[in-house]
Amino acid sequence: MYQKPKGTRDLLGRELQRLEALNAAARAFFGQNGYEEIRTPTFEFAALFDRSIGETTDIVEHEIYKFEVNKKLYALRPEGTASVLRAFIENKLRLPVRFLYLWSMYRRERPQKGRYREFLQIGIELLGESKPFYDADIIERGKQYLQSVGARDFTIELNSIGCPECREAYRRTLEDYLQPNLSRLCDDCRRRFERNFLRIFDCKKESCQRLYDDAPKITDKLCGECAQHYVDVKKYLRYFGVDYVENKKMVRGLDYYTRTVFEFKHGELGAQDTIIAGGRYDLLMRELGGPDTPCIGWALGPERLLLTMPEELPSVKARRAFFLIGVGERYLPTMISLRTQIHNNGHRCFLGDPGEPIKHQMKKADRFKADHVVICGEDEEKEGIYTVKEMSTGRQSKIPVAEFESFLIHA
Ligand code: ATP
Ligand code: MG
């Protein structure tokens, strides 16, 4: 017996349908907003992620699947932004541009509820816009998308982590504060403080967090331009009608962010409570060898989102399942055009084999969990009707061929 690797999942039946419904809703919604779908390779040269995400981040240090072939080092993508920018630069695309991606990502994390080693992300990236208006815009679009699929009870947390200048000045302030307390930090935080100091705020240990509660925060030490940007983002969020809370300890797990960072959290998820995470990354394009280009984006974990949602997604119109029964092969052409008509109305439809006895076809209709069985035979042909049996009640009705379309629309 073979088993799937730890942290991976087989997506089947209802869950896969629900995920696909979120994908379809994202394609429709972000399509309307000018986001173009993009697909890039599942693996890239490992250096792309090391460079963009940052050598001393958790992702690059522990979580990337790397493999070497012919002395070249590759990596399965752990996130989307680096690949999107690489593709933008390599294909010499024009600005401004908006991208949507719906991809699997790979990270060697400890599997838990809502945390897998292969997982999906729905992400958007807006390249070439620097104004705070756009920070607010993509946050509001995230909120609107979540509402459109029926998600409820999420909180938007906001912070600004400034630019490299703010950060350098802030590092000294933080150092002064932490110096007398260094012995109370955990080993990880001491290491983080040396190599990637903002990351200490990500620590899960309560003893460290207590210390950070009272520490000076980068948001209070921003340079003039970054401070103004942050003020304006909040102003536009209010214009857009987006409620948010400021979280001065939120720094995000990737190195490339500048200024605005945000997360959408859901109270019922426990430790893995972030559904959407993102921010501005004005320096990354340059870092990857492209033109100086301000960018902003976010990624949503649809598998986590589904954990917060009722079994039926309100946004998805319940589609009916039809099973067509033919009384003899000469009814096959009628059945085939009927199937097309049913499909065109967004329902599922499955053909019985009209050469088989009706009883056999009925059994298959049961196994297919049909809501309606439609019978095509001599009587129907003569009278110009279809006999439709509603499986839940056993009720049969005769629907004139000319009225069948209207029946399908309301089914
Ligand atoms: P976390 O703090 O939960 O590890 P992160 O900061 O690593 O999240 P991002 O890299 O910003 O998350 O990813 C954006 C979103 O993708 C997350 O908010 C989450 O919904 C989803 N996500 C991230 N990692 C996983 C995973 N291992 N399994 C399932 N979903 C994930
Ligand atoms: Mg993570």
Side-chain angles (χ1 to χ4, degrees):
M1 277 287 274
Y2 295 104
Q3 291 180 333
K4 57 188 172 329
K6 200 170 140 192
T8 65
R9 290 170 331 131
D10 297 316
L11 294 171
L12 303 164
R14 197 72 195 113
E15 187 178 16
L16 184 55
Q17 280 173 17
R18 278 154 52 87
L19 284 168
E20 280 305 323
L22 290 180
N23 282 349
R27 286 193 172 99
F29 181 84
F30 292 105
Q32 284 177 332
N33 284 281
Y35 288 83
E36 284 173 43
E37 192 170 340
I38 179 173
R39 286 188 205 173
T40 65
T42 309
F43 61 96
E44 298 267 0
F45 289 114
L48 174 69
F49 302 117
D50 295 349
R51 185 69 183 265
S52 57
I53 297 169
E55 311 250 7
T56 56
T57 56
D58 289 347
I59 294 183
V60 169
E61 280 190 333
H62 316 290
E63 297 178 1
I64 297 192
Y65 286 97
K66 290 188 180 172
F67 56 99
E68 201 183 290
V69 180
N70 281 343
K71 302 216 171 66
K72 293 211 166 77
L73 191 56
Y74 300 94
L76 294 182
R77 64 177 170 226
E79 60 104 47
T81 304
S83 303
V84 169
L85 293 204
R86 199 264 314 130
F88 172 84
I89 299 168
E90 195 168 343
N91 292 285
K92 302 189 175 63
L93 302 180
R94 300 246 307 264
L95 291 170
V97 62
R98 293 164 153 84
F99 290 115
L100 166 70
Y101 60 81
L102 309 116
W103 298 342
S104 292
M105 306 297 175
Y106 307 84
R107 295 184 195 174
R108 257 174 59 189
E109 307 197 69
R110 195 165 66 76
Q112 302 161 56
K113 184 181 164 208
R115 191 182 290 292
Y116 318 107
R117 291 183 166 179
E118 173 169 6
F119 60 98
L120 294 162
Q121 278 190 344
I122 297 175
I124 61 169
E125 314 284 358
L126 170 47
L127 316 187
E129 301 285 8
S130 64
K131 297 273 168 46
F133 173 85
Y134 291 100
D135 305 43
D137 181 47
I138 73 153
I139 293 173
E140 192 272 346
R141 291 291 80 189
K143 175 188 155 178
Q144 208 59 46
Y145 169 73
L146 285 180
Q147 283 180 346
S148 78
V149 296
R152 298 277 172 274
D153 304 326
F154 48 85
T155 313
I156 300 173
E157 296 189 359
L158 183 71
N159 196 22
S160 174
I161 55 171
C163 62
E165 251 169 68
C166 316
R167 253 172 260 171
E168 191 43 42
Y170 169 65
R171 200 171 62 82
R172 289 192 295 271
T173 314
L174 189 62
E175 227 163 38
D176 290 343
Y177 170 83
L178 286 179
Q179 211 48 257
N181 297 306
L182 273 186
S183 60
R184 288 162 62 195
L185 294 184
C186 72
D187 290 347
D188 278 344
C189 277
R190 251 175 289 173
R191 203 171 48 88
R192 288 186 186 114
F193 192 69
E194 289 303 314
R195 303 180 53 194
N196 196 339
F197 78 101
L198 268 186
R199 188 94 330 106
I200 61 168
F201 290 100
D202 266 345
C203 184
K204 300 271 187 290
K205 297 197 186 64
E206 216 169 289
S207 52
C208 292
Q209 283 301 333
R210 268 200 303 275
L211 214 54
Y212 306 147
D213 280 336
D214 299 326
K217 304 294 184 322
I218 184 154
T219 320
D220 302 320
K221 307 278 170 194
L222 299 177
C223 69
E225 278 180 45
C226 288
Q228 187 59 48
H229 187 95
Y230 191 40
V231 166
D232 289 341
V233 171
K234 290 185 278 188
K235 177 184 79 180
Y236 286 115
L237 282 175
R238 285 191 295 274
Y239 281 165
F240 278 114
V242 175
D243 292 329
Y244 59 86
V245 291
E246 289 182 73
N247 175 356
K248 293 186 178 191
K249 290 202 291 183
M250 179 173 60
V251 292
R252 307 282 310 116
L254 307 100
D255 272 357
Y256 53 62
Y257 287 115
T258 46
R259 297 186 169 171
T260 315
V261 290
F262 54 86
E263 293 189 356
F264 290 48
K265 291 188 172 170
H266 194 280
E268 277 165 29
L269 283 179
Q272 277 63 249
D273 62 352
T274 308
I275 302 173
I276 291 184
R280 180 167 276 291
Y281 49 97
D282 289 346
L283 306 174
L284 183 58
M285 185 84 89
R286 190 68 178 278
E287 181 82 20
L288 294 179
D292 222 341
T293 309
C295 302
I296 183 155
W298 55 244
L300 175 156
E303 286 140 316
R304 259 186 222 180
L305 173 58
L306 280 185
L307 294 174
T308 73
M309 296 183 53
E311 182 61 22
E312 283 301 328
L313 297 182
S315 63
V316 184
K317 188 169 166 261
R319 287 176 308 165
R320 300 280 148 199
F322 284 78
F323 192 95
L324 306 187
I325 290 184
V327 195
E329 290 197 344
R330 55 181 285 245
Y331 297 103
L332 200 50
T334 313
M335 293 164 73
I336 288 172
S337 63
L338 197 52
R339 176 172 67 177
T340 305
Q341 189 185 4
I342 293 171
H343 285 166
N344 286 347
N345 277 279
H347 301 294
R348 289 186 292 149
C349 183
F350 198 70
L351 285 186
D353 174 350
E356 281 190 351
I358 296 187
K359 230 167 85 185
H360 284 197
Q361 296 184 58
M362 263 302 188
K363 258 198 198 137
K364 283 202 181 140
D366 270 336
R367 214 176 310 148
F368 185 64
K369 297 199 181 75
D371 299 299
H372 299 286
V373 164
V374 184
I375 299 166
C376 307
E378 201 181 352
D379 293 351
E380 284 74 22
E381 194 179 39
K382 269 196 218 138
E383 295 177 46
I385 52 123
Y386 297 121
T387 302
V388 179
K389 181 174 177 185
E390 190 178 50
M391 298 299 270
S392 60
T393 58
R395 221 178 12 233
Q396 290 212 23
S397 43
K398 295 182 171 189
I399 300 177
V401 171
E403 287 168 28
F404 197 66
E405 180 77 12
S406 143
F407 167 77
L408 288 177
I409 291 170
H410 299 104

